[in-house]
Amino acid sequence: MTIKDIAQRAGYAVGTVSRVLNGHPDVSDEARAKILAVVAETGFQPNDNARHLKQRESSSIAVIVKGARNLLFAGILEEVQSRVRAAGRAAAVYYLDEDDDEVEQAVRVCRELKPLGILFLGGNQNNFADRFERVTCPCVLVTTRADTMGFQNLSSVSTDDAEGAAQAIRRLIEAGHRRIGVIGGHFCAGCGRGGANTSQTRFFGCRRGFLEAGVPFDEELQFQAARFSMPGGYEAANALLERCPDLTALFAMSDVMAIGALRAIRDRGLRVPEDISLIGYDGIEQAGYCVPRLATVRQRSGRLARRSVEILLRQAAGGGGAVHEIVPFQLLPGESIRDLNE
Amino acid sequence: MTIKDIAQRAGYAVGTVSRVLNGHPDVSDEARAKILAVVAETGFQPNDNARHLKQRESSSIAVIVKGARNLLFAGILEEVQSRVRAAGRAAAVYYLDEDDDEVEQAVRVCRELKPLGILFLGGNQNNFADRFERVTCPCVLVTTRADTMGFQNLSSVSTDDAEGAAQAIRRLIEAGHRRIGVIGGHFCAGCGRGGANTSQTRFFGCRRGFLEAGVPFDEELQFQAARFSMPGGYEAANALLERCPDLTALFAMSDVMAIGALRAIRDRGLRVPEDISLIGYDGIEQAGYCVPRLATVRQRSGRLARRSVEILLRQAAGGGGAVHEIVPFQLLPGESIRDLNE
DNA sequence: CTGAAAGCGCTTACAG
DNA sequence: CTGAAAGCGCTTACAG
């Protein structure tokens, strides 16, 4: 079943069918009605390969998600999809593995889908720096900053991760904690050229939090790198508590890691927050269902989503240069921090 | 940059370039070397739209996942992808919303990707019954049975959900519980024609568990329908405990619901398992990180994945009629069931 | 408002 | 082993 069959049955040329299918105005009501009737009757769906092959620009927004299992992104995505739909556009979602190259994918999407614009949920700054020049449509990078890269067609909407991490540390210090362990992602001195992948940024924020409060932070002892996963957090917490049995609090740079840490603490026969206080990062739904509820630095996923879509649609409509927005985070108190001053 | 440019630069015709790109054997080593050199140098990637438009059959396996946030499927998918890759094929993953029509999507994928076969992670039996005749390639439905539908090209690999649910109930009864609440999905008498959507199957299993043990089960009072989500489980648990304050145990038909229930129980000032015992279903990673660890009926995602891929690849190679396999589940004890006999 | 025709970038028989 | 050409199913100027 192709557009040709539809044309034949309806008694029009394929061009006319195409115009009806794409909602062009220059078709008579009669033709439209007849053709739509045949389409409905046959259940015809046009072949997207053929369509995209020829089309100059589709009316879709592409969303490239780095990590199908990332719950923060899942939350943002849901909101993005409903906002894109509300704006009368379709969202085409592409899920990538953590270590796939999102910019490479974007180049491909530009060529094959020809979207109005691309939204990146997560991204590696090096990939952007190295290859983003090859993507030409308007883009917004969400949760990671892009202001230092200076691309005219790359905006960003993100959380101030350094400040978020700093405040997490401050919060623990205010509660009277002095020996605090930190669980974060892997990063190397060189991998955030220009100063920023997420793990590194949050790490620097931590360090600043300690420094400003005059609380010592021995990176060798008090920091443990791990994967962003529950087992990662579990093992890291174990390693830290083994190495520094006198820690009274942990900061995990993602809620998922924090959930792993929570379990590790319990398995060592300790309790949260009575023995060890714990704070996470991201503010995923899950954090509110932990026992105890997790204190966390909440990225405002709804607002990140809303602003990203607004900015992207404006840029797609020809609205000027790149914009870089910071969305304020919230410190959720949870039930996992003990106040030692009380 | 198209195949034409590559042909020109390499000094061959586009047909030859195409043959090299697709690994056909009928090309001279010299041509291959020259063309691959140009491809590498230019970073050329063929346009998949054009390729799929013309290609009779691609060498990919399509995977249609119902619910991007379904953690059971996420676990199965990971294993599926690595097994498909190990077999030298590419996996093309399509994520659908819970209430999208996976069979409609399959029809589209058949036409546009022309895969060797399709794997469905989850699916609504009614959609299959109504429209599956339109899909012609070999398919495997994973986690839901397809044996009663009688399609020659539709195999299935699933867990015996009725028995799993029955055993969850039995396990609670063995532990001395007599007043047990059940949290399940929504279903209506008609929606599982032929007897089976997942929620309904597990519900019937529950009922059998009660019946065989001679323990009364008042469906009106002791069953609460909810969405398969943490808030869904939270509210359902609250409703049940409000309605029947004398319940000593809950069975939630998914771990995600159970996590919500766990939080609800705590918020009512009760403890798991001291005051209320709890058992879930699925065996997602998450369940092992709860405090307390969740007892659950574990679907063996690794084996579901492995068998599904094996069966699909065999069918794609022309290996006979449909196969319907049941993979045994495991009852994970966790720490969330109190033994009242002790 | 409608049709005829070119063409998107590939693959694939068909010759040679 | 290689090239020339048809054609996949659409969209899009271009005429009329």
Side-chain angles (χ1 to χ4, degrees), chain A residues 28-311:
Chain A
S28 68
D29 291 344
E30 194 190 335
R32 190 186 313 283
K34 262 191 198 155
I35 288 169
L36 286 179
V38 176
V39 167
E41 180 191 327
T42 56
F44 170 72
Q45 291 185 318
N47 184 316
D48 267 341
N49 290 323
R51 157 175 272 176
H52 291 142
L53 186 55
K54 182 63 184 172
Q55 217 166 29
R56 308 194 135 269
E57 182 171 80
S58 83
S59 69
S60 318
I61 297 292
V63 186
I64 298 181
V65 183
K66 249 191 129 168
R69 303 185 71 155
N70 185 314
L71 295 170
L72 173 67
F73 294 164
I76 297 175
L77 178 62
E78 215 152 275
E79 185 76 18
V80 161
Q81 285 180 302
S82 87
R83 297 221 167 246
V84 167
R85 229 168 274 153
R89 329 241 73 138
V93 182
Y94 300 84
Y95 288 91
L96 262 53
D97 284 345
E98 304 276 0
D99 32 48
D100 286 347
D101 186 330
E102 67 279 7
V103 179
E104 202 66 59
Q105 176 70 20
V107 171
R108 165 149 237 140
V109 165
C110 271
R111 193 177 49 216
E112 299 187 1
L113 177 65
K114 293 152 194 154
L116 290 175
I118 302 178
L119 225 53
F120 293 89
L121 299 196
N124 177 310
Q125 293 201 320
N126 294 342
N127 292 339
F128 280 85
D130 291 349
R131 277 176 292 283
F132 186 76
E133 52 180 0
R134 285 165 55 199
V135 0
T136 49
C137 69
C139 295
V140 178
L141 178 51
V142 191
T143 70
T144 297
R145 302 175 62 152
D147 47 355
T148 58
M149 290 185 277
F151 293 108
Q152 279 306 309
N153 58 331
L154 180 61
S155 298
S156 67
V157 180
S158 58
T159 297
D160 185 342
D161 276 333
E163 184 54 23
Q167 286 210 21
I169 295 299
R170 264 178 230 141
R171 175 76 194 80
L172 292 173
I173 292 174
E174 279 165 17
H177 297 274
R178 291 295 174 272
R179 293 177 308 279
I180 300 169
V182 175
I183 300 171
H186 293 274
F187 65 91
C188 52
C191 69
R193 312 169 222 155
N197 73 35
T198 303
S199 296
Q200 195 172 18
T201 305
R202 292 183 191 166
F203 180 78
F204 288 154
C206 279
R207 203 150 63 176
R208 198 173 72 208
F210 281 109
L211 200 66
E212 289 176 0
V215 171
F217 176 50
D218 180 339
E219 300 176 15
E220 294 293 313
L221 279 160
Q222 289 171 253
F223 177 75
Q224 178 64 50
R227 284 165 301 121
F228 278 85
S229 68
M230 289 181 280
Y234 186 92
E235 281 161 30
N238 261 331
L240 280 171
L241 293 171
E242 200 66 50
R243 209 152 66 206
C244 315
D246 61 344
L247 293 176
T248 65
L250 294 180
F251 166 47
M253 292 190 192
S254 83
D255 290 339
V256 167
M257 284 171 161
I259 290 168
L262 182 58
R263 188 63 254 181
I265 294 167
R266 293 298 303 236
D267 285 347
R268 299 178 72 82
L270 300 171
R271 323 194 102 233
V272 176
E274 291 82 350
D275 303 310
I276 304 281
S277 292
L278 181 61
I279 183 167
Y281 201 107
D282 283 344
I284 59 176
E285 184 182 45
Q286 194 69 50
Y289 285 87
C290 288
V291 179
R293 278 190 182 81
L294 207 58
T296 188
V297 179
R298 175 171 178 255
Q299 302 206 52
R300 302 189 54 184
S301 53
R303 196 150 148 201
L304 287 164
R306 176 167 62 82
R307 290 302 297 146
S308 303
V309 172
E310 284 171 359
I311 290 171

Side-chain angles (χ1 to χ4, degrees), chain A residues 323-340:
Chain A
V323 174
H324 300 282
E325 235 177 72
I326 300 291
V327 167
F329 55 81
Q330 295 176 302
L331 221 57
L332 297 188
E335 309 161 337
S336 63
I337 298 180
R338 175 172 168 204
D339 192 336
L340 298 178

Side-chain angles (χ1 to χ4, degrees), chain B residues 120-244:
Chain B
F120 293 89
L121 298 196
N124 177 310
Q125 293 200 321
N126 294 343
N127 292 340
F128 280 86
D130 292 348
R131 275 175 294 282
F132 187 75
E133 53 180 358
R134 285 165 55 200
V135 358
T136 49
C137 70
C139 295
V140 178
L141 179 51
V142 190
T143 71
T144 298
R145 302 175 62 151
D147 48 354
T148 59
M149 290 185 276
F151 293 108
Q152 280 307 309
N153 58 331
L154 181 60
S155 298
S156 66
V157 180
S158 58
T159 298
D160 185 341
D161 275 334
E163 184 54 24
Q167 287 210 21
I169 295 299
R170 262 178 231 143
R171 176 75 195 79
L172 292 173
I173 292 174
E174 280 165 16
H177 297 275
R178 290 297 173 271
R179 296 178 304 281
I180 301 169
V182 175
I183 299 171
H186 293 275
F187 65 91
C188 52
C191 70
R193 311 168 222 159
N197 73 34
T198 304
S199 296
Q200 196 172 17
T201 304
R202 291 183 193 168
F203 180 80
F204 287 154
C206 279
R207 204 152 61 177
R208 196 173 74 207
F210 281 109
L211 200 67
E212 288 177 1
V215 172
F217 175 51
D218 180 340
E219 300 176 13
E220 294 293 314
L221 279 160
Q222 290 171 252
F223 176 74
Q224 178 64 50
R227 283 164 301 122
F228 278 84
S229 67
M230 289 182 279
Y234 186 93
E235 281 162 31
N238 262 331
L240 280 171
L241 293 172
E242 200 65 49
R243 210 153 63 207
C244 316

